[in-house]
Structure formats: C-alpha cells, structure tokens
Amino acid sequence: MEVKPLLFVGYPSIGTQRLDMKKCYEAHDRHFDCLDSLRTKGDNHYECPTSFNNWLKNCDGLARRRQLENRYLRQRDERLYTQDSLADYNERNSSKISWPDRLP
C-alpha cells in the first residue's frame, strides 16, 4: 500500500511537491516590475516572456491569482484615491453645505 502525503486546503503545492514561496514572490516581483516598466494600458504577460515563464514555473495557479487580484486592487485604489482628487472633492462638497448660524 502506497502512502501519499496529505495536502491541505490553502497549502501551496504542485502535486506532492511543496512550493518555495520565497522563489514565487521573487518571480512575482520581477515579473510585475517588468510589466510596470512597459507602462502599457493592459497587462500583456507575453511582453515579458522570461519573467512570465519563471512566474508560471515558481507559483501555482492559486498564488498567481491572488497576486494578480492584489495588483489590480492596488492599481484601482491608486487611480481612484489620489491626494489631489480627494482635496478637490472635499473642496467642492464643503462649499455646498450651508451651516446654520446658531444651533437650537
């Protein structure tokens, strides 16, 4: 009878081989740095083929999905919430509020 190792939900593994998450995050950083240096509208992973293949090799699908999701959320927040846009929003809306001279 062959004994197989237990695989837990959320435990990074490819088959029965445990992933080295340090290598995964290093590949993630290199690949996303390459994508950021291109400054294209969308993320075309094939424009950085070496780092993309390294990222695919070192990270499983769940880790890559989580990393991409975090990247898109961070980019969205950077576009939505700049300091200048928040200051403009507060200035416009504060002028619309009329405060009474005295409170009852």
Side-chain angles (χ1 to χ4, degrees):
M1 181 167 126
E2 183 181 345
V3 177
K4 295 183 179 179
L6 292 174
L7 297 178
F8 299 100
V9 175
Y11 191 78
S13 62
I14 298 176
T16 58
Q17 181 181 359
R18 184 171 182 270
L19 284 177
D20 184 1
M21 291 307 288
K22 182 177 180 183
K23 286 183 181 178
C24 176
Y25 280 103
E26 287 172 353
H28 154 267
D29 290 339
R30 268 187 252 116
H31 181 58
F32 287 164
D33 287 344
C34 178
L35 289 176
D36 290 340
S37 69
L38 296 174
R39 298 182 185 268
T40 56
K41 184 176 180 182
D43 287 340
N44 185 358
H45 297 286
Y46 295 104
E47 291 178 352
C48 300
T50 306
S51 63
F52 180 57
N53 288 332
N54 195 20
W55 185 52
L56 288 176
K57 183 179 77 171
N58 289 317
C59 300
D60 68 331
L62 182 62
R64 288 193 311 268
R65 180 175 176 224
R66 195 175 311 125
Q67 291 166 353
L68 275 175
E69 198 171 281
N70 288 339
R71 174 181 166 84
Y72 293 141
L73 290 175
R74 189 172 49 253
Q75 286 176 341
R76 184 198 63 189
D77 288 346
E78 287 172 359
R79 281 193 314 267
L80 289 177
Y81 306 117
T82 63
Q83 190 64 35
D84 296 334
S85 67
L86 288 175
D88 291 340
Y89 174 81
N90 288 334
E91 185 178 327
R92 278 190 317 239
N93 289 330
S94 65
S95 63
K96 294 178 185 177
I97 299 172
S98 60
W99 297 97
D101 293 337
R102 288 181 23 180
L103 292 175

